[in-house]
Amino acid sequence: MSEAKNQLLAALQPYRQRWQQLGDRDRLALSLLGGFFAVLIMLYGIILPSYDFHQQSRDRYLADTELLHWLQNQETAVQQIQQLPAKQSRPTNQSPLTFVTQSAKQHQLSLKRVQPEGSKKLRLWLEAAPMDKTLAWLKSLTEGGLVIDDISIERQPQPGLANIRATLITR
């Protein structure tokens, strides 16, 4: 440990000698310049990044809280849909794609895109869809023999509307 310290002191010795050779005003100017750079490093290297991180975390918290409240407000709609009587299942000779599109029309929903993935999967997209109608439609799809494999629901600025991406699998 002391050997490393001695090597460091030996490496810094020329700079110490150079410092001692400077005049008082030059040493003062360099000290002030060094202090200025230390303040800049603390400001731009520590304080501002910490503040930005705090602001981003706060914004993310507020957005997540707003989403939680929205989901809690949708709870009653989900419970009402769960209490609806069960519909008839899809006829066995009807393709899942046909069933999905016809069912969407019955629930007054407009599918933006439907993409079959093999014989057992369907990917579908809805934009600005009313959540109450969408939940009733999804319930009818599951009663018709389709399983929701993956779903992403993104809230829209208008109350009660959402963008939905889902993957359905036939049983």
Side-chain angles (χ1 to χ4, degrees), residues 51-67:
Y51 179 76
D52 289 343
F53 176 77
H54 172 72
Q55 285 298 107
Q56 289 172 355
S57 298
R58 185 172 183 264
D59 292 344
R60 194 168 43 246
Y61 169 76
L62 291 174
D64 289 347
T65 303
E66 185 178 334
L67 177 61

Side-chain angles (χ1 to χ4, degrees), residues 64-126:
D64 289 347
T65 303
E66 185 178 334
L67 177 61
L68 174 64
H69 291 297
W70 181 77
L71 287 172
Q72 288 171 339
N73 290 338
Q74 297 301 319
E75 182 179 13
T76 57
V78 171
Q79 289 172 349
Q80 290 172 352
I81 290 169
Q82 287 175 340
Q83 294 173 355
L84 292 175
K87 309 246 174 161
Q88 289 184 340
S89 64
R90 152 178 75 93
T92 55
N93 61 351
Q94 189 179 32
S95 76
L97 180 60
T98 306
F99 177 64
V100 167
T101 54
Q102 285 180 354
S103 179
K105 285 179 187 174
Q106 289 173 354
H107 287 87
Q108 300 169 346
L109 292 171
S110 175
L111 295 170
K112 179 176 182 197
R113 182 174 166 195
V114 178
Q115 177 181 348
E117 290 187 1
S119 62
K120 299 260 184 198
K121 275 190 177 184
L122 286 175
R123 289 188 56 84
L124 49 96
W125 290 261
L126 292 99

